[in-house]
Amino acid sequence: MARYHIETYGCTSNRGESRAIERALRDGGHHPADGPESADVAILNTCTVVEKTERNMLRRAEELDAETPADLIVTGCMALAQGEQFREADVDAEVLHWDDVPEHVLNGECPTVTPDTEPVLDGVVGILPIARGCMSDCSYCITKRATGRIDSPPVEENLEKARALVHAGAKEIRITGQDTGVYGWDRNKGKSLLPELLDRICTEIEGDFRVRIGMANPKGIHGVREELAALFATHDELYNFLHAPVQSGSDDVLGDMRRQHQVAEYVEVVEAFDAALDHWTLATDFIVGFPTATDHDFQQSMALLRETRPSKINVTRFSKRPGTDAADMKGLGGTIKKERSKAMSELKMDVMGAAYQQMVADEATREVLLVEDGTDESLVGYDEAYRQVVVADAEARGLELGEFVECAITSHNTVYAFGEPVA
């Protein structure tokens, strides 16, 4: 598992967020490193109280970028309010919300941030793990040792858990799992039961709520891609959002990774959703610096990113996990991995920025469900395609978490939009 280094600046709230990040990482089997130089990932939780503090945060980010050979994640108040300053300073870092840090640290492995399959209500967000385990055997992933093969509770059981979350006050249900696309393969002769579960949640549970689907590997959803896309088009309760981690644009590298899918299958999933939905968000992951990835393989990944244009992209440098087959492969140099990571991250920001700029250009209002606290008096919500929208003065307007608000999209900050409530 990954070795992490985390530094926290600012108030008690920030320290609490860092503790929550650490708990999630520990649940996923990760452990602290002795320092940034020996870490697989460094996390900087920032403060932005005064201008001097901002300068200190930028300087520390630059130092960590130089000190650690691994990924750098910048989170916290300055990252959320002024994330562009890190990019303008040429800091090679992922700028993320606190809640997104544990998932990003997983380095392409199946998520294990939930220690069991019991639902959790966090404010107005209900987290529903629908199964444990996966059907993959990726050469770089150590998670399979902890989770084993897919173990799926019956659809009826997960349906009742979802119903209980809504009755307890959940306005958003986040369906999670190591690989949600293969839910039910152990019960249904290798065919996903995810479409049935989603359809029943939307048709049999009363209330105003939204449902977000967690990570689903392309192979698991390929066989039900058209059925899933049709469900998204039919049910307003479903966010038009799909997280399908492709990891590479090269079939040769995917073979060495033992990812089960090929690039064409990933593209076919994207095409099915493009055909069914006018507006939707594709999220995907790329691993850069895999030991067998040549420059040509890397350029294939860059081309795939340009072709499919995901609106949410995780770029992670490969790091060896003890006991995995990929750990025995001769690795690429740290300089190569860093250069590729920087190039793909720059392209990522261009692609994501264009998606949010299009939201502004459309001049259409969006129904936004407010689900998270932001900085100062802001609240954070998501539109029907699960694109993040910040309402800057929400609390002054008397808005509360759990409300659906019609918003005009006025501007964006590359990775999220700003919304102005309309009557």
Side-chain angles (χ1 to χ4, degrees):
M1 296 295 184
R3 297 163 298 171
Y4 65 86
H5 170 79
I6 187 167
E7 294 184 9
T8 307
Y9 297 85
C11 64
T12 303
S13 178
N14 249 23
R15 291 195 292 273
E17 295 289 356
S18 286
R19 286 195 294 271
I21 290 170
E22 288 210 70
R23 281 197 300 271
L25 294 179
R26 294 291 185 94
D27 285 343
H30 308 308
H31 57 272
D34 293 332
E37 67 284 344
S38 62
D40 296 310
V41 61
I43 304 163
L44 178 63
N45 192 350
T46 59
C47 178
T48 183
V49 175
V50 295
E51 184 177 354
K52 181 180 178 181
T53 304
E54 295 168 12
R55 291 197 300 268
N56 290 339
M57 293 297 94
L58 282 173
R59 183 175 66 252
R60 187 56 188 145
E62 291 168 346
E63 291 170 350
L64 279 174
D65 188 18
E67 289 172 12
T68 179
D71 283 346
L72 173 61
I73 294 173
V74 178
T75 188
C77 296
M78 185 174 175
L80 299 180
Q82 299 153 292
E84 72 282 355
Q85 291 197 26
F86 296 96
R87 292 184 284 273
E88 292 169 359
D90 202 29
V91 175
D92 183 15
E94 287 286 334
V95 179
L96 300 175
H97 190 281
W98 294 288
D99 294 343
D100 296 328
V101 172
E103 180 180 342
H104 182 81
V105 174
L106 290 166
N107 190 48
E109 296 176 334
C110 297
T112 56
V113 295
T114 50
D116 51 39
T117 56
E118 289 307 307
V120 176
L121 182 62
D122 182 9
V124 297
V125 175
I127 301 171
L128 176 60
I130 58 172
R132 283 192 67 81
C134 68
M135 296 299 292
S136 301
D137 185 28
C138 299
S139 63
Y140 55 82
C141 182
I142 200 171
T143 301
K144 188 68 174 284
R145 292 185 185 179
T147 61
R149 292 174 67 82
I150 189 73
D151 181 12
S152 307
V155 170
E156 189 70 35
E157 182 176 326
N158 278 324
L159 176 66
E160 289 310 308
K161 290 179 179 179
R163 193 191 314 275
L165 285 170
V166 173
H167 287 174
K171 289 294 186 178
E172 177 180 295
I173 299 174
R174 295 180 182 174
I175 290 179
T176 67
Q178 277 69 52
D179 181 358
T180 62
V182 296
Y183 167 64
W185 274 28
D186 50 332
R187 291 180 168 272
N188 198 34
K189 299 180 180 179
K191 184 177 180 181
S192 177
L193 289 174
L194 182 62
E196 179 185 342
L197 175 61
L198 296 179
D199 187 50
R200 293 190 63 183
I201 287 174
C202 294
T203 57
E204 297 183 26
I205 299 178
E206 296 182 357
D208 292 326
F209 60 91
R210 295 290 180 269
V211 180
R212 191 205 72 176
I213 310 305
M215 192 189 82
N217 282 315
K219 188 66 175 181
I221 56 176
H222 182 263
V224 293
R225 63 190 183 280
E226 293 181 353
E227 185 179 356
L228 269 180
L231 279 176
F232 279 58
T234 300
H235 295 304
D236 291 340
E237 291 85 358
L238 295 175
Y239 282 119
N240 294 335
F241 170 87
L242 184 68
H243 180 191
V246 66
Q247 304 300 11
S248 176
S250 163
D251 282 337
D252 289 340
V253 174
L254 289 176
D256 292 336
M257 290 178 171
R258 297 204 300 264
R259 283 290 291 159
Q260 297 187 324
H261 68 272
Q262 294 188 320
V263 173
E265 293 174 299
Y266 167 78
V267 172
E268 287 168 0
V269 170
V270 175
E271 290 174 344
F273 278 74
D274 279 341
L277 301 167
D278 293 329
H279 300 288
W280 72 288
T281 291
L282 169 65
T284 197
D285 303 356
F286 285 92
I287 296 175
V288 295
F290 191 79
T292 63
T294 65
D295 285 338
H296 177 65
D297 294 323
F298 175 65
Q299 291 305 321
Q300 287 183 295
S301 291
M302 296 284 277
L304 183 64
L305 199 163
R306 294 187 188 97
E307 175 190 350
T308 56
R309 302 191 71 79
S311 300
K312 183 174 175 60
I313 308 156
N314 290 320
V315 179
T316 307
R317 292 178 212 157
F318 171 79
S319 63
K320 294 184 177 182
R321 296 294 192 260
T324 63
D325 291 341
D328 295 330
M329 299 177 182
K330 183 178 180 180
L332 300 177
T335 300
I336 293 175
K337 290 195 287 186
K338 197 163 190 175
E339 288 175 349
R340 290 181 183 178
S341 174
K342 183 177 180 181
M344 181 170 277
S345 294
E346 288 175 351
L347 177 58
K348 158 191 166 176
M349 299 310 294
D350 289 343
V351 171
M352 293 176 65
Y356 278 99
Q357 178 58 40
Q358 188 60 51
M359 290 180 68
V360 179
D362 286 344
E363 297 184 349
T365 61
R366 305 286 181 189
E367 186 179 58
V368 175
L369 172 58
L370 301 174
V371 296
E372 300 166 3
D373 285 314
T375 57
D376 298 324
E377 291 192 339
S378 68
L379 293 177
V380 179
Y382 297 87
D383 74 353
E384 72 280 0
Y386 205 69
R387 292 170 294 201
Q388 190 175 85
V389 179
V390 176
V391 180
D393 55 351
E395 293 180 5
R397 293 172 178 267
L399 300 176
E400 297 179 351
L401 295 179
E403 288 192 55
F404 291 86
V405 181
E406 198 73 18
C407 289
I409 305 303
T410 56
S411 62
H412 74 96
N413 192 19
T414 306
V415 294
Y416 56 86
F418 290 96
E420 178 76 15
V422 298

